[in-house]
Amino acid sequence: MALRFPHALLIAVTLVAAPSLAFAQDNPRAQKQRKLPEAPAKLPKIGADRAKGLDFLFGALKAAPDDASARHVEARIWALWLQTPSDTAALLMMRAKAAMDAQQIDVALKLLDAIIKLRPDWTEAWNRRATLYYLQNDYARSLADIQQVLAREPRHFGALAGLGMIMEDLGDDKRALEAFRKALAVNPHLEKVPELVRQLSEKVEGRDI
């Protein structure tokens, strides 16, 4: 059955050629079968030098010898992404997380709107709102927020994986494959993504003879 998408969505898909979601919880409205990468429940304490810390951690993530080591490094990356110098923004983010856990999607979105207005430089606020839009199947808004995420942090493997899922849902297997490959280049230990890359590679590029 042919699918028809709103004009705004087609524009958004065209604009987001660059890669671009985490903080996914179960949402009865969306019933997503695949879960996006998200921050663990408990995050480690990290130092103050954010930029150098991220560069070091992304190098360690690529070199991680096993999944357990990679999970530890991932948690430290998420901890840095969730840092903000604004106590108000941090409090609003806690409330947004609580609203999401309580399935109060509209409340969570309003809180994230307020955070982004207050701290438009906070990448993770854009990322979490992108995830909420994704869970509501609002791909146009999700893609727009993903674009904001990757403009600030091109290595955001959660956003890259989310972009891949949206592109796959829209039937654009080529862009889905590209996004998943970029996610794996940053974080080779992402769950389920290697299998998605294998499946899409066969569809897009054919089987090796």
Side-chain angles (χ1 to χ4, degrees):
M1 179 177 65
L3 298 179
R4 300 177 64 185
F5 301 103
H7 183 62
L9 175 56
L10 294 176
I11 292 174
V13 172
T14 302
L15 288 176
V16 187
S20 250
L21 240 197
F23 173 53
Q25 305 287 340
D26 293 333
N27 179 359
R29 279 200 242 173
Q31 294 296 319
K32 293 292 183 182
Q33 294 181 348
R34 290 176 296 182
K35 193 175 182 181
L36 299 170
E38 63 177 302
K42 293 183 179 180
L43 294 170
K45 293 183 179 180
I46 41 84
D49 195 337
R50 188 177 185 279
K52 289 184 179 179
L54 278 173
D55 290 343
F56 173 80
L57 289 170
F58 276 114
L61 187 58
K62 283 187 179 181
D66 51 52
D67 288 344
S69 300
R71 295 291 91 80
H72 176 72
V73 177
E74 277 183 23
R76 294 178 68 83
I77 290 172
W78 282 111
L80 282 170
W81 280 342
L82 284 165
Q83 276 188 333
T84 176
S86 169
D87 291 340
T88 301
L91 178 61
L92 290 173
M93 183 65 87
M94 289 177 60
R95 290 177 177 173
K97 176 67 165 61
M100 187 62 184
D101 290 344
Q103 306 296 337
Q104 297 173 339
I105 308 304
D106 292 339
V107 173
L109 278 173
K110 288 179 180 178
L111 288 165
L112 288 167
D113 289 345
I115 294 169
I116 289 170
K117 185 175 181 179
L118 177 67
R119 298 292 308 191
D121 58 332
W122 193 8
T123 304
E124 197 55 28
W126 293 97
N127 181 60
R128 295 197 173 198
R129 194 173 72 173
T131 301
L132 286 183
Y133 285 141
Y134 168 77
L135 292 173
Q136 290 188 313
N137 297 317
D138 190 343
Y139 292 158
R141 287 191 174 95
S142 186
L143 286 170
D145 280 1
I146 283 171
Q147 192 174 27
Q148 294 289 335
V149 173
L150 292 180
R152 293 165 173 78
E153 177 51 89
R155 300 170 297 188
H156 201 298
F157 48 82
L160 289 166
L163 176 62
M165 290 180 186
I166 291 176
M167 292 295 102
E168 188 177 12
D169 286 351
L170 294 176
D172 193 338
D173 291 339
K174 184 176 180 181
R175 284 189 181 174
L177 178 59
E178 178 184 354
F180 286 138
R181 281 177 170 167
K182 287 182 178 180
L184 280 182
V186 175
N187 183 358
H189 295 270
L190 283 172
E191 294 181 10
K192 300 183 181 179
V193 176
E195 177 61 20
L196 291 171
V197 167
R198 186 191 66 77
Q199 294 173 0
L200 286 171
S201 296
E202 291 181 0
K203 291 177 67 175
V204 174
E205 299 166 349
R207 293 177 179 270
D208 292 335
I209 298 176

